[in-house]
Amino acid sequence: MGKVIYLKRASARNFKGLENISFDFTDRETTLVGANGTGKSSFFAMFIWCLFGKDQFGRTDHQIKTLINGKTDRYKDCEVELVLSINGEETRLKRINSENWVRPKGKPEDEFKGNETKRYINDVEVKASEYDREVYNICPEEIFRVITNPAYFPNLKQDEQRAILFKMVGDITDESVAKGNKDFEEFLQMLSGKSFEVFKKEVAAQKKRVRDEAESIPTRIDELKRSFPEAMDWDSIQLSIDNKKSELETIEAQLGDASKLSEQDNQRRLELRNQINQLEEANQNIKFAEQRKHNEQLEAIKGEMRKLRLGEGEQNRDYNTKQSRLSYLQGEKTRIKGLLQSLGEEWKLINAETIVFREGEFECPTCKRPLEMEDIEAKEAELTEEFNKKKAEKLKRNVDEGKSRKAEFDTIVEEIDSIGELKKVDTSEWLDKIKAKEEELSNATAKAPEYENRIDYKANLAKIDELKSKLEAPVSGDTTKLREKKAELSKEIELLNADLAKRGIIDNTQNRIKELIELQQKLNQEIADLERKEFLQKSFEFAKNESYEKKINEMFTLVQFNLFRQQVDGQIVPTCEAHVGGVPYSTQNNAMQCGMGLDIINTISKHKGIYAPIFIDNRESITNIPEIKAQIINLVVDSNEKQLKMM
């Protein structure tokens, strides 16, 4: 059965109103009875104080001495002694708190120098460390508090409850959860030794990066489409060029005939024209390359601006979300606080109600003669009973609603505390960067492509001018009109070639748009793959959480726990809520709450192998309790008992 601890005797002097008491206990069930204020709660407090030097709430700075008119009696020690049976072996523990008064030399009165605590084990005074070690060996404090008070565990913070429950079942391996499930086995391979948290963050970061890039593609495509040159009739332009070149060739032939140039001169002029065409084509390519480079530079700056704007928006999103939630919670807190105050005032009004008999209440309804005395007394008793019953019902409804509202209020306060003080994110650095990029874009847009300043472009122009000078060198005969026509045709051909070059820009832009569409499809597939990883992780986490919850709940007879909650967005958050038949502990009546607490104590005691005295407060309101292996000490309210006594 492990370690069994019984309280055999408890004595106290000058402890929180308990002046000089001593009770002997059986090893099964004992009841202490007294009216409110006779020391039932103080009795449990003295039991805890003797062991750990704290009260039942874990405080070390509480008042333990009896107060008379708000002051303690000087020089009066506070003493508690417990006699415990531990697996049949008796141990006596005593703690004494004394006031240290010293009269300084030359002064008429004593001065208080502080409190002193003495500790005894089996009537032998020991050091604090030795006493604490002895108590720890009997039962560690954190376990002792859980297994001696049915209300202690259900009122711990949720994370503290979870820590105790999870220690009881040990670890559940990822491999055992994944066994037989191909998707889960695939997920464990994805983890590659990483923790769930690291894996989740990495996938979220990858997904954000890919999604941001995918979302920027439509904008980039739109910008490319807006930069399209206007489509033209390319075949018609090419035909015009061919016709004008043919006409130009005819004129040049005429010029050759008219000037009676030698074949050698004709050949020379042809070579000059070829060289000029090659140089002009080279300059045209330089011009297109610089224009393309300029457009790419503008696109790069715009891309950086988009990233900065996304980053700046991301900085404020969390603050705005929490600020909105906090404003709502503060409003709810104020509203519920007002409701609680109203309920308190309502309770006082209900509690103050008294029965008043109306005039003629005790007359015969027919002849109006007063009723017989025994009939009056019977009717008074009947009316009083009915009045008290209705009053009790109204008080109960008021208290039940107050408890519900208080639980709601505590939940809101807890969430407000978890949010904490919000500080607006400083995005000035992001805004400065965005402004700098906007200026950079404005400057870059205003700056035309600098192809005319390129050395090779200038060299080509100079060479063209030189070749044209040679080509235009006067020859014998008047060929002025032919030359004017030739210049006109050459200019027209140059303009048509410039229009025809736009087709290349359109083709390049369309190819780029096609590449972006293919990239978008690839990124969408990557997003789908990452979302599958997220789904597998959430599914695995949920399955593992269910395994823990099932294993823990199998340990209890009456109570079940909800240890995890899945939010609307699929996020799994930890919780810890004890319930019976789906009804939470907080909404159960006092008797069921006690039964749930005892079931929890039974399970934890069995797991730890330690059974200690269980103190059940307000036992008068609880009809039955489950079978308990440990010692039971009932604390019962009886207004007729003006002093605490044992039944």
Side-chain angles (χ1 to χ4, degrees):
M1 188 175 181
K3 183 183 290 186
V4 181
I5 304 168
Y6 291 125
L7 175 62
K8 297 186 67 176
R9 182 181 301 113
S11 305
R13 287 191 305 109
N14 190 32
F15 184 91
K16 299 181 81 167
L18 300 175
E19 287 301 313
N20 192 2
I21 64 164
S22 180
F23 292 114
D24 292 324
F25 297 86
T26 67
D27 60 359
R28 292 308 303 156
E29 187 169 1
T30 307
T31 300
L32 296 180
V33 180
N36 289 325
T38 55
K40 297 183 299 303
S41 297
S42 297
F43 185 84
F44 180 50
M46 85 176 197
F47 177 75
I48 297 296
W49 180 78
C50 184
L51 293 171
F52 307 111
K54 305 175 184 177
D55 68 358
Q56 65 269 42
F57 306 107
R59 300 174 300 188
T60 57
D61 58 348
H62 62 294
Q63 176 63 42
I64 60 174
K65 295 185 178 181
T66 301
L67 297 176
I68 300 176
N69 295 325
K71 297 182 179 179
T72 61
D73 190 357
R74 289 188 179 185
Y75 313 108
K76 203 170 185 179
D77 294 346
C78 175
E79 177 182 326
V80 176
E81 182 178 12
L82 304 177
V83 179
L84 302 177
S85 172
I86 305 164
N87 287 348
E89 183 176 345
E90 188 174 291
T91 298
R92 301 167 67 88
L93 300 173
K94 186 193 305 183
R95 187 186 291 265
I96 301 176
N97 180 276
S98 305
E99 293 182 351
N100 183 15
W101 293 86
V102 177
R103 180 168 298 179
K105 187 175 181 179
K107 292 189 177 182
E109 294 185 357
D110 294 347
E111 291 184 359
F112 179 65
K113 296 297 182 180
N115 291 303
E116 296 179 346
T117 301
K118 296 181 180 180
R119 303 162 182 82
Y120 297 85
I121 300 176
N122 295 327
D123 298 323
V124 177
E125 186 175 359
V126 296
K127 296 179 180 179
S129 59
E130 185 177 347
Y131 188 88
D132 293 341
R133 185 166 54 252
E134 177 69 19
V135 172
Y136 182 86
N137 289 335
I138 294 173
C139 183
E141 180 181 354
E142 61 272 15
I143 299 176
F144 199 86
R145 288 182 176 278
V146 171
I147 64 175
T148 56
N149 181 0
Y152 186 80
F153 181 90
N155 287 286
L156 286 173
K157 293 181 179 179
Q158 289 188 350
D159 56 347
E160 294 175 343
Q161 294 185 42
R162 287 169 59 85
I164 294 172
L165 294 173
F166 276 68
K167 283 182 181 178
M168 291 170 63
V169 301
D171 289 334
I172 295 176
T173 65
D174 293 342
E175 289 70 22
S176 64
V177 176
K179 187 176 182 181
N181 189 313
K182 292 182 179 179
D183 288 340
F184 287 173
E185 291 172 352
E186 178 188 353
F187 170 68
L188 291 185
Q189 291 180 350
M190 292 179 187
L191 283 179
S192 300
K194 299 173 186 173
S195 67
F196 280 12
E197 195 62 30
V198 170
F199 180 82
K200 186 188 298 183
K201 288 181 178 179
E202 287 183 355
V203 172
Q206 293 173 13
K207 183 178 174 183
K208 182 180 182 305
R209 176 184 57 78
V210 175
R211 189 182 295 279
D212 288 345
E213 186 176 359
E215 289 176 352
S216 72
I217 287 177
T219 303
R220 294 162 67 184
I221 291 175
D222 288 342
E223 290 176 353
L224 287 172
K225 287 180 177 179
R226 285 196 295 270
S227 67
F228 263 20
E230 185 178 353
M232 304 173 75
D233 187 348
W234 311 118
D235 292 338
S236 177
I237 292 173
Q238 185 63 58
L239 180 60
S240 294
I241 291 173
D242 293 340
N243 290 336
K244 290 182 183 298
K245 281 185 176 181
S246 177
E247 187 177 353
L248 183 61
E249 290 174 358
T250 301
I251 291 174
E252 288 176 345
Q254 290 174 355
L255 285 171
D257 292 341
S259 305
K260 298 181 179 181
L261 296 174
S262 65
E263 189 168 341
Q264 181 179 2
D265 188 60
N266 286 336
Q267 183 63 35
R268 178 185 67 82
R269 292 174 66 81
L270 180 60
E271 290 175 357
L272 289 173
R273 281 195 297 271
N274 288 337
Q275 291 178 37
I276 291 171
N277 289 338
Q278 291 174 1
L279 291 170
E280 287 178 341
E281 184 177 0
N283 271 3
Q284 191 72 18
N285 290 335
I286 290 172
K287 181 178 179 181
F288 292 154
E290 286 298 320
Q291 182 66 49
R292 184 163 51 252
K293 180 179 178 182
H294 181 67
N295 291 339
E296 289 175 352
Q297 180 186 5
L298 295 180
E299 178 61 26
I301 295 173
K302 292 176 182 177
E304 292 175 1
M305 287 174 60
R306 286 192 294 273
K307 291 181 180 178
L308 288 172
R309 288 195 176 101
L310 287 172
E312 189 268 339
E314 190 68 25
Q315 289 289 313
N316 280 317
R317 188 171 294 114
D318 182 66
Y319 170 84
N320 293 334
T321 300
K322 288 185 178 179
Q323 181 64 44
S324 176
R325 180 61 179 169
L326 189 60
S327 297
Y328 170 78
L329 291 174
Q330 292 289 4
E332 285 296 287
K333 178 182 174 183
T334 301
R335 183 180 68 82
I336 296 173
K337 185 176 181 180
L339 289 175
L340 288 172
Q341 291 175 344
S342 298
L343 288 171
E345 294 299 324
E346 182 185 76
W347 187 92
K348 291 178 183 178
L349 292 174
I350 296 172
N351 193 51
E353 290 178 357
T354 57
I355 188 169
V356 177
F357 300 110
R358 300 188 305 275
E359 184 178 355
E361 188 81 43
F362 305 107
E363 294 178 351
C364 175
T366 303
C367 63
K368 304 300 180 179
R369 294 181 58 187
L371 299 176
E372 297 296 330
M373 184 58 64
E374 55 269 24
D375 294 332
I376 292 174
E377 291 176 349
K379 188 167 185 180
E380 282 181 345
E382 179 184 354
L383 293 173
T384 301
E385 181 181 1
E386 183 179 358
F387 171 83
N388 290 335
K389 181 179 179 182
K390 291 181 178 179
K391 180 178 179 180
E393 289 174 349
K394 289 192 287 184
L395 287 172
K396 183 177 183 303
R397 285 195 299 271
N398 179 280
V399 170
D400 289 345
E401 186 177 355
K403 287 181 179 180
S404 175
R405 293 297 183 181
K406 183 60 172 60
E408 187 178 356
F409 182 88
D410 291 343
T411 301
I412 290 173
V413 170
E414 183 178 350
E415 187 175 351
I416 291 174
D417 291 342
S418 69
I419 293 174
E421 182 179 357
L422 294 180
K423 292 183 179 179
K424 190 173 182 68
V425 178
D426 183 8
T427 60
S428 59
E429 183 178 351
W430 288 88
L431 294 174
D432 289 342
K433 290 180 179 180
I434 292 171
K435 183 176 180 182
K437 284 296 174 185
E438 287 175 344
E439 292 177 356
E440 183 181 351
L441 178 62
S442 178
N443 293 334
T445 303
K447 188 177 181 182
E450 298 181 351
Y451 61 89
E452 294 180 346
N453 294 326
R454 285 182 50 163
I455 296 174
D456 51 353
Y457 186 89
K458 290 181 178 180
N460 288 342
L461 285 179
K463 188 66 174 176
I464 289 171
D465 290 339
E466 178 186 348
L467 294 174
K468 283 185 176 180
S469 296
K470 293 179 180 181
L471 191 63
E472 298 296 334
V475 294
S476 58
D478 185 6
T479 58
T480 303
K481 290 184 179 181
L482 288 174
R483 290 184 183 280
E484 289 176 353
K485 184 61 176 177
K486 175 186 175 183
E488 182 183 343
L489 288 171
S490 297
K491 185 63 176 177
E492 291 175 354
I493 291 172
E494 182 181 357
L495 293 174
L496 290 169
N497 278 328
D499 287 339
L500 194 61
K502 295 177 182 177
R503 180 169 59 179
I505 297 175
I506 292 176
D507 290 341
N508 291 336
T509 303
Q510 288 177 335
N511 290 334
R512 180 57 182 156
I513 291 174
K514 182 179 179 182
E515 290 174 359
L516 288 173
I517 292 173
E518 292 174 352
L519 176 60
Q520 187 177 37
Q521 293 172 347
K522 179 182 177 183
L523 293 174
N524 288 338
Q525 183 58 50
E526 287 184 30
I527 292 172
D529 294 340
L530 290 169
E531 288 178 342
R532 181 174 182 272
K533 288 183 178 181
E534 287 180 329
F535 174 76
L536 286 177
Q537 183 210 343
K538 290 178 181 177
S539 299
F540 185 87
E541 249 187 311
F542 191 76
K544 188 172 184 179
N545 293 339
E546 283 188 325
S547 298
Y548 270 111
E549 193 170 84
K550 179 181 178 182
K551 196 170 182 181
I552 287 171
N553 284 331
E554 286 174 349
M555 302 175 68
F556 292 87
T557 303
L558 174 66
V559 176
Q560 296 287 279
F561 288 92
N562 291 329
L563 299 173
F564 304 94
R565 177 168 55 87
Q566 189 169 14
Q567 299 182 148
V568 177
D569 61 359
Q571 184 77 12
I572 298 173
V573 295
T575 185
C576 190
E577 186 175 43
H579 63 89
V580 172
V583 181
Y585 175 89
S586 59
T587 61
Q588 296 280 7
N589 59 39
N590 186 49
M592 180 55 77
Q593 287 183 345
C594 179
M596 294 170 72
L598 291 173
D599 185 47
I600 293 171
I601 289 177
N602 252 347
T603 302
I604 295 177
S605 292
K606 181 179 179 181
H607 176 75
K608 298 292 184 181
I610 302 176
Y611 294 85
I614 302 174
F615 291 79
I616 303 179
D617 201 5
N618 296 318
R619 182 66 170 85
E620 71 280 356
S621 65
I622 304 169
T623 306
N624 296 309
I625 60 174
E627 183 179 349
I628 304 295
K629 295 181 180 179
Q631 180 186 25
I632 299 295
I633 298 176
N634 299 311
L635 303 177
V636 175
V637 177
D638 188 341
S639 58
N640 296 321
E641 300 294 341
K642 304 307 179 183
Q643 290 186 343
L644 188 65
K645 75 173 188 177
M646 180 181 290
M647 291 184 62

